[in-house]
Amino acid sequence: MKKWHPFMFDAADYHLLDIIKDIRYRKKKQKDLRQRVGPYLHPRGIKELAAPRELRMAYATAHLLDSLDAGRVEDRLTALQSIVDEVRSSTESNLRNNAARVMLQLMKELIRCDENDMLRQLALAHDFRRAASGRPRVIRSLLSHYHLLEMPEDWNQVSFDDHVHDANTKGRKNPCHLIMDAWIKGIREIRVIYYNHIPFQAVSELMNAASIMGIRAAIGIEYEIPFRGRMASFIWAPSGLHTAEAMTRFFNLPKVDAFMEKGREVSRYRAEKVLENLDIFNRKYRPEIETELAMEIPEASKEDFLVMVGLGQPSTLHLSAYLHSLVETAIRQSLHPAPLEVDTESPEAAIFVKRIEALETLTPEAIENRFLAPAKQDDSFSPEKDLPELLTLSPETLTEALARLHPSFSLTLNLKHLRVADVAELLFRTEGRISHLEIYNLKDQALGRAVAYREINALQLALNQGNIIILKRILMDCHHHLQLAHTSQATEQSKTLENILSHLTRLVSPYAIRPLQTRIGTDSTGNSPRFYGMGLVLRDTLPFRTRRFLQQKLGKNHHRPGIRIPVRPRVTWIPKKPPCRKLAPILYRLRYAKILRPVTHKKQSEFIIRKSAVRLEARGNVITLGGTMRQENPKAAFKHREKAFRFHPAAYLNTSLTQILKVVIGFIPAFLTFALTKDWWLLAYFGAVIWFFITGLRNILQSVLGGGGIRRSPLLKWHDHVRWNRVADSLLFTGFSVPLLDYVVKTRILDEIFAITTSSNPIALYAFMGLANGIYLSTHNFFRGLPRAAVIGNFFRSILAIPVAVLFSGICGQMLAGTGHGAPSEALQKWAAIISKTASDTVAGIIEGLADRFHNLELRAQDYRKKMRQIFDTCMELELAFPRSDILTLLSDTKNRILPENHPHTRLTTMIVINVLDLLHFFMYQPRARVALQKRMDRMSFEEREVFCAYHQMLKEEKHVSTLLINGLIGKNFGPGLSFYLATYPQYLHYLSQWVPDAALQCRTDQNDDKRPSAFPSG
């Protein structure tokens, strides 16, 4: 691949593009790649030796974003699980969730980027690697670039969308893709709506994908029935079914499947109507366009249209998109090649202009309104013969039938084209079975279908508050307006309202116990740029930085629809587990001291909302997470894309060059300060070197000791623990502290103004310098976007360094006096800034080194927690598969430890091999893994230790493990993993033998007779 510029980008960026190119041109996914994205292979485990993180993420993302027909649901779910594991473990910054969102977005952009646009591809690859570094300013800049709001790292924001569509109806994305995009936007709750029935394959994929991403997903089925000359929409959703298994079992029930079959009949009927509209377009409207534009338009094909629809249900939305593509392609072909010289007043010029204008005006929405609206039957209803049964039901009959399917359910009334009188009548006739109102639908609002949202909201509030006076006044106003209409429909409905007023308690009583709740959705399909993308969030639940951003830049990308949801915070203090058993009694007593609660408890914040008290008001607290795209002609759209991609060369410099420049930029002010203010040659020429040596050494020792020490593992060198970008940033900012501390504070202020020196008042000197250093550190930490705890901690670390500086100064003074130096105070005055710097870095090294240690221990605890869960899951499956055999016997039997290939549970052997190889990699490569494992084993019972040690005996099966690795367990590049396993597992087992009792270490099979019958029955 051709290099862009020797000073731009990194070799790793080009390597990542080679990977993407290989994925694009790979016609057939190899089996080893599917193995590589297996859910049991930990991102920090053995597969790190087979492929870099970028390669694994690229393959998984490409597989997930494949076409809907290519690949099975299981493959997409496996790819999604792999992506989530990779991004969540790829960065160790304080913005882990936000960094993961950015990395997923960047990988999507990279996979879909035009392969001829080399500059943009390199920029995306470089941005991806910058995001993986986890630096807050980089993450926040990329979030802003892709119009993503920063979410709290506690992931407790109230973000939702109660009405979205996937590819099984009229959406653009399959369920896995939809859920992944929802997580990228920061959505925590989502409700996917299907029409008339739910496709069987969608249930499992949607619920499993939501479980993987940690999103609370729900399924709603929309039914339309005739009401007052139009169609009323009800969205039914069974409650209490939170897993894919429970949802699948429910929809497989005979009575539910029979009702779904009636819905399928409606879908087939509507599909026939859409195809009739296609025929009408061919017969009537296509000739009109041909005459108007003086060109030929190809006939719309039913087969091509159904191919475009794919898994979805044919709809007017699909048909308008298909016809737009057909007409646009024909017009573009007629414009190419463009005429060189045309008389502006000639008929040819007028036709040419008309075609250009048609490209801009004939959007999918325009085609729907102009050619399809007269023929469609979505918003009006006229009785026909042979209608499907569901289209002939009354609201009472439909809601009763839905109530019989499941005892717990929610029924949402969509307010499209409905007025207050309609809603009151439907609530009255259904006798409280309607549990929610879709009080705001962003798509219906944009299309002008929301005719009375505010009035209906007032009705809902009066009903929930039990305010009979306001409720009666609303109904009386509706009755009065209906009487003025003088139509048969209005007269009939006014009589219904009279009946409601006479039996008002029948309307109020069902909602006195269970208030009428609210649904708010975008109705997003991902197809039209006119409408807002999916996702809504409560502004009150966002971080302060995000709220300030919204206050300044609320507009096209994020919109305030005018909804206010009451919200209040709730804080829960959860007692922490004692680090060891000896401290448990002390910590139990300290838990009752409120002042020590941040130490003894873990703080958990959440928000409580009241969806029964939602109000529609101008300055609401609900913000859209998606924006709209303005309609543009191709030339303007290209310019807009070019403007959106702003290439700043400084941001894409080679990483090594960037780090060198940072060090040089920081070194210049430090060197000039010492060279121009010191007369002793050592300080004048080497003062800056000493200053930088102190800072660099502190950062390196802090990283090495935080990672476990120099001799933690023979497989790791000391520099493997060092983050050189953090060292470069530290040297950059420490260079600017030299003129501040040495020249401004020490010389100009303290010495010349206040006459404070090391001889007159050393404590005051080092106190003022420490205070100034603390302010400077906090300022540049805040500028770099570090968390508040780091900003405050670095300020107080400088305060703690004051007595250390005084101590160092006293020691140096005694040493100078002992060597016979004539004026030790004068020498100490020259070195005061360096002494203060040494003291500050000493304290910082201790504090931040301990912080790095605890951070690494926390990461290892997470790794071991997930892997231990998988270990005991496989043990449970073994126990269930072989009920007559003991688990220790199953794991320890040398002859029968490996199940034969034709055994129905042979996959358990592979899962055990994966788990022990990951544990081996943790132990040998990951920082502080040994300490974390030892602490984990200390909390195990004796029986759990026995099982854990017997589990590792699989490592002794060299032939079987080697065969699995060679056959592609971790990929084609199995060499490093295989050599690592063969070279290190004996040492690993030796370490385990020192931590567990001898009784747990010895394999029972080694002590038993070889003639014992097999623990695993064959076949």
Side-chain angles (χ1 to χ4, degrees):
M1 184 179 290
K2 183 180 178 181
K3 298 288 184 181
W4 181 260
H5 193 280
F7 297 133
M8 305 296 295
F9 306 110
D10 299 326
D13 299 332
Y14 291 94
H15 178 60
L16 180 55
L17 292 194
D18 289 335
I19 293 170
I20 300 299
K21 184 177 180 181
D22 178 63
I23 293 171
R24 284 174 176 154
Y25 289 99
R26 188 183 297 274
K27 295 183 179 179
K28 185 178 180 181
K29 303 287 188 303
Q30 298 182 5
K31 188 177 180 180
D32 68 284
L33 300 178
R34 292 184 179 180
Q35 293 282 0
R36 188 179 302 165
V37 298
Y40 269 81
L41 286 166
H42 197 281
R44 295 194 184 100
I46 188 69
K47 68 178 179 180
E48 275 193 339
L49 301 177
R53 177 189 60 231
E54 293 86 356
L55 170 63
R56 303 193 302 263
M57 282 194 63
Y59 273 119
T61 307
H63 194 78
L64 181 64
L65 301 181
D66 236 346
S67 64
L68 296 177
D69 296 328
R72 300 176 301 169
V73 171
E74 293 80 3
D75 296 331
R76 291 201 292 267
L77 290 172
T78 302
L80 183 64
Q81 180 69 67
S82 178
I83 293 172
V84 173
D85 291 341
E86 293 292 347
V87 297
R88 285 180 174 170
S89 62
S90 59
T91 179
E92 300 177 0
S93 73
N94 295 298
L95 296 175
R96 291 185 63 192
N97 285 322
N98 287 289
R101 294 168 60 209
V102 167
M103 292 173 68
L104 271 178
Q105 180 66 31
L106 286 167
M107 187 55 70
K108 281 177 51 186
E109 295 284 337
L110 190 53
I111 292 290
R112 291 177 165 176
C113 184
D114 183 5
E115 57 183 320
N116 297 319
D117 192 349
M118 181 62 64
L119 180 61
R120 180 164 174 76
Q121 288 186 87
L122 286 169
L124 288 169
H126 196 78
D127 283 340
F128 178 85
R129 296 177 55 253
R130 288 169 63 213
S133 68
R135 283 179 287 181
R137 283 186 65 85
V138 173
I139 299 301
R140 289 182 175 121
S141 173
L142 291 171
L143 284 171
S144 176
H145 179 74
Y146 290 106
H147 311 301
L148 300 173
L149 294 179
E150 180 185 346
M151 297 295 170
E153 280 302 306
D154 291 338
W155 209 246
N156 59 351
Q157 73 276 6
V158 178
S159 52
F160 59 93
D161 196 330
D162 292 330
H163 197 137
V164 296
H165 297 277
D166 66 8
N168 290 285
T169 50
K170 57 183 182 181
R172 182 173 54 87
K173 304 167 185 175
N174 62 57
C176 277
H177 190 184
L178 178 74
I179 292 295
M180 183 182 71
D181 278 3
W183 190 83
I184 291 174
K185 285 178 175 287
I187 298 174
R188 293 183 61 210
E189 296 184 13
I190 192 169
R191 185 174 299 271
V192 184
I193 306 301
Y194 298 90
Y195 294 129
N196 306 307
H197 69 96
I198 179 169
F200 180 77
Q201 75 277 3
V203 177
S204 175
E205 183 174 3
L206 177 68
M207 300 304 291
N208 281 313
S211 176
I212 290 171
M213 301 301 300
I215 292 177
R216 185 177 178 181
I219 291 173
I221 304 177
E222 184 172 350
Y223 297 97
E224 287 189 333
I225 57 172
F227 175 75
R228 301 290 180 192
R230 51 188 177 276
M231 304 300 288
S233 298
F234 295 86
I235 301 174
W236 172 77
S239 304
L241 306 174
H242 302 303
T243 64
E245 294 77 10
M247 193 73 75
T248 303
R249 285 197 302 269
F250 172 73
F251 282 102
N252 281 333
L253 293 175
K255 64 176 182 179
V256 179
D257 185 62
F259 196 86
M260 292 297 109
E261 182 57 36
K262 295 179 181 179
R264 296 185 192 99
E265 183 181 351
V266 175
S267 295
R268 288 191 290 268
Y269 169 79
R270 291 194 177 279
E272 292 174 0
K273 289 293 182 182
V274 172
L275 294 178
E276 288 178 8
N277 291 347
L278 186 146
D279 291 335
I280 292 174
F281 176 84
N282 280 332
R283 294 195 312 268
K284 182 178 180 181
Y285 298 111
R286 187 173 63 90
E288 289 182 7
I289 300 175
E290 290 179 334
T291 303
E292 180 181 349
L293 300 180
M295 57 174 291
E296 186 175 342
I297 304 292
E299 184 175 350
S301 167
K302 292 183 180 180
E303 292 75 15
D304 293 343
F305 170 64
L306 293 176
V307 168
M308 188 209 75
V309 172
L311 298 175
Q313 300 178 15
S315 65
T316 305
L317 181 69
H318 288 117
L319 183 57
S320 62
Y322 169 71
L323 295 178
H324 170 261
S325 174
L326 191 73
V327 173
E328 183 185 39
T329 303
I331 294 176
R332 290 190 183 279
Q333 290 177 352
S334 69
L335 296 175
H336 182 76
L340 297 178
E341 295 183 2
V342 179
D343 186 3
T344 55
E345 297 181 357
S346 65
E348 292 81 2
I351 293 174
F352 185 82
V353 171
K354 277 188 177 181
R355 293 175 184 176
I356 294 292
E357 292 176 350
L359 278 178
E360 301 178 10
T361 58
L362 282 180
T363 62
E365 290 78 16
I367 290 176
E368 180 179 354
N369 294 329
R370 180 178 173 185
F371 305 122
L372 305 180
K376 65 180 180 177
Q377 302 291 333
D378 291 342
D379 302 328
S380 60
F381 179 78
S382 57
E384 297 182 18
K385 295 182 179 180
D386 301 326
L387 281 175
E389 179 184 351
L390 289 183
L391 291 179
T392 62
L393 300 180
S394 65
E396 301 95 316
T397 308
L398 175 65
T399 55
E400 286 176 5
L402 293 173
R404 287 194 295 268
L405 294 180
H406 195 269
S408 177
F409 66 95
S410 67
L411 189 63
T412 304
L413 177 63
N414 184 288
L415 304 182
K416 176 176 60 176
H417 296 297
L418 295 182
R419 299 188 179 275
V420 180
D422 302 325
V423 175
E425 180 182 352
L426 289 170
L427 292 175
F428 182 78
R429 291 173 61 178
T430 55
E431 299 178 347
R433 284 186 288 269
I434 295 176
S435 59
H436 293 75
L437 296 181
E438 192 169 80
I439 203 66
Y440 207 99
N441 184 300
L442 271 72
K443 184 177 180 180
D444 290 343
Q445 177 73 19
L447 292 175
R449 299 172 181 171
V451 294
Y453 275 176
R454 293 187 180 277
E455 294 82 357
I456 296 172
N457 180 234
L459 173 72
Q460 178 191 18
L461 292 173
L463 197 59
N464 287 336
Q465 295 168 1
N467 195 325
I468 301 296
I469 298 175
I470 297 179
L471 184 61
K472 187 175 180 180
R473 189 182 68 223
I474 293 173
L475 295 178
M476 291 292 292
D477 289 342
C478 294
H479 181 264
H480 176 69
H481 289 301
L482 288 172
Q483 286 183 328
L484 296 177
H486 301 296
T487 63
S488 58
Q489 285 279 2
T491 303
E492 182 180 352
Q493 193 167 28
S494 66
K495 293 179 180 179
T496 304
L497 285 184
E498 291 176 0
N499 184 39
I500 295 174
L501 288 168
S502 303
H503 303 85
L504 202 56
T505 54
R506 287 178 53 188
L507 175 64
V508 177
S509 57
Y511 301 105
I513 301 173
R514 190 181 66 171
L516 187 59
Q517 303 290 324
T518 300
R519 300 268 191 228
I520 305 170
T522 60
D523 207 351
S524 171
T525 62
N527 288 308
S528 176
R530 282 185 56 196
F531 309 119
Y532 284 94
M534 67 174 169
L536 301 155
V537 65
L538 263 64
R539 181 182 179 276
D540 312 69
T541 65
L542 294 173
F544 171 76
R545 190 186 299 267
T546 308
R547 297 199 302 269
R548 185 178 60 185
F549 168 81
L550 289 173
Q551 187 174 1
Q552 297 171 352
K553 299 185 178 180
L554 194 65
K556 183 172 71 73
N557 297 313
H558 302 286
H559 170 62
R560 178 186 289 158
I563 309 167
R564 177 165 293 279
I565 302 178
V567 57
R568 57 185 176 87
R570 182 171 69 183
V571 177
T572 305
W573 294 94
I574 303 173
K576 293 181 180 179
K577 291 183 178 180
C580 61
R581 296 177 182 176
K582 294 181 179 179
L583 295 177
I586 300 175
L587 289 179
Y588 288 148
R589 290 182 177 88
L590 293 177
R591 285 177 181 175
Y592 296 99
K594 290 187 177 181
I595 194 172
L596 297 177
R597 184 175 286 174
V599 179
T600 59
H601 291 71
K602 178 183 177 182
K603 183 180 178 181
Q604 179 177 310
S605 301
E606 56 186 340
F607 295 93
I608 308 300
I609 62 173
R610 291 179 57 206
K611 282 200 170 182
S612 61
V614 175
R615 294 180 180 273
L616 300 184
E617 54 185 57
R619 296 190 61 82
N621 61 349
V622 174
I623 306 295
T624 63
L625 292 174
T628 59
M629 296 174 61
R630 58 176 179 266
Q631 297 290 334
E632 297 172 326
N633 58 53
K635 186 175 181 180
F638 177 78
K639 290 182 178 179
H640 180 70
R641 285 194 298 269
E642 288 294 313
K643 184 178 179 181
F645 174 57
R646 298 183 297 271
F647 180 76
H648 302 292
Y652 299 101
L653 288 175
N654 182 276
T655 301
S656 300
L657 178 61
T658 303
Q659 293 173 356
I660 293 173
L661 287 175
K662 287 181 179 180
V663 176
V664 171
I665 293 172
F667 187 80
I668 291 173
F671 179 81
L672 291 176
T673 301
F674 282 110
L676 298 176
T677 61
K678 307 300 178 186
D679 52 3
W680 188 17
W681 65 270
L682 181 61
L683 279 178
Y685 296 106
F686 294 98
V689 176
I690 296 172
W691 192 281
F692 270 51
F693 175 78
I694 294 170
T695 303
L697 181 63
R698 186 262 298 176
N699 277 278
I700 292 172
L701 290 179
Q702 166 191 327
S703 300
V704 173
L705 296 177
I710 297 177
R711 300 181 63 186
R712 195 200 80 66
S713 171
L715 303 177
L716 295 174
K717 305 300 182 182
W718 66 269
H719 53 76
D720 292 328
H721 298 288
V722 180
R723 301 179 193 171
W724 296 107
N725 59 346
R726 186 166 75 171
V727 175
D729 289 340
S730 182
L731 293 176
L732 168 66
F733 288 101
T734 197
F736 290 96
S737 68
V738 176
L740 172 68
L741 297 178
D742 188 79
Y743 181 71
V744 176
V745 176
K746 189 194 76 173
T747 304
R748 289 297 183 185
I749 297 177
L750 296 180
D751 189 5
E752 297 181 3
I753 298 178
F754 296 103
I756 297 176
T757 63
T758 52
S759 58
S760 62
N761 195 341
I763 296 178
L765 173 71
Y766 290 115
F768 277 107
M769 291 183 68
L771 181 63
N773 189 38
I775 295 173
Y776 172 73
L777 287 173
S778 300
T779 303
H780 81 68
N781 283 340
F782 180 78
F783 171 76
R784 291 163 63 186
L786 298 182
R788 183 183 302 175
V791 174
I792 298 174
N794 277 307
F795 175 79
F796 283 102
R797 115 182 175 199
S798 299
I799 305 301
L800 293 174
I802 294 173
V804 180
V806 175
L807 176 63
F808 285 179
S809 179
I811 294 173
C812 292
Q814 291 295 327
M815 292 174 62
L816 289 173
T819 57
H821 195 282
S825 297
E826 183 180 348
L828 289 176
Q829 177 68 15
K830 296 178 180 179
W831 289 81
I834 292 180
I835 292 174
S836 178
K837 171 66 176 174
T838 306
S840 177
D841 277 25
T842 301
V843 175
I846 295 173
I847 295 176
E848 295 185 13
L850 290 173
D852 284 352
R853 180 181 185 274
F854 288 130
H855 180 66
N856 286 324
L857 283 174
E858 183 181 355
L859 292 177
R860 297 295 80 75
Q862 293 175 5
D863 295 341
Y864 277 115
R865 192 180 302 118
K866 180 177 181 179
K867 190 51 64 175
M868 291 293 185
R869 193 181 305 120
Q870 292 178 347
I871 287 174
F872 288 105
D873 284 346
T874 54
C875 291
M876 182 180 64
E877 290 191 46
L878 278 173
E879 291 274 27
L880 295 175
F882 305 99
R884 298 183 180 181
S885 301
D886 180 69
I887 184 64
L888 286 177
T889 305
L890 296 174
L891 293 172
S892 304
D893 191 349
T894 305
K895 292 185 177 180
N896 302 287
R897 185 180 294 135
I898 302 173
L899 294 173
E901 291 185 3
N902 59 349
H903 197 281
H905 299 286
T906 186
R907 68 178 184 87
L908 292 176
T909 302
T910 305
M911 290 158 60
I912 293 173
V913 171
I914 291 173
N915 288 333
V916 294
L917 288 176
D918 280 343
L919 290 172
L920 175 62
H921 188 271
F922 289 168
F923 191 84
M924 291 296 177
Y925 274 106
Q926 298 301 335
R928 294 291 175 183
R930 300 186 183 188
V931 179
L933 178 60
Q934 189 169 5
K935 288 185 176 182
R936 185 87 185 181
M937 294 184 68
D938 288 342
R939 294 196 298 267
M940 291 182 184
S941 64
F942 179 77
E943 292 77 10
E944 290 173 335
R945 290 187 188 182
E946 280 190 307
V947 173
F948 184 74
C949 293
Y951 204 91
H952 281 81
Q953 301 307 310
M954 182 64 75
L955 289 172
K956 295 181 178 180
E957 303 294 336
E958 292 187 3
K959 181 178 179 181
H960 181 71
V961 176
S962 301
T963 302
L964 286 176
L965 290 171
I966 293 172
N967 289 339
L969 180 67
I970 59 174
K972 293 186 297 183
N973 186 25
F974 61 84
L978 178 59
S979 59
F980 161 75
Y981 156 66
L982 294 174
T984 58
Y985 88 84
Q987 181 184 3
Y988 175 54
L989 293 179
H990 174 71
Y991 275 110
L992 287 182
S993 68
Q994 299 175 354
W995 292 347
V996 295
D998 293 338
L1001 180 67
Q1002 299 296 329
C1003 297
R1004 295 186 178 184
T1005 54
D1006 296 340
Q1007 300 174 358
N1008 294 339
D1009 186 39
D1010 292 339
K1011 295 183 180 180
R1012 184 183 54 199
S1014 170
F1016 295 123
S1018 60

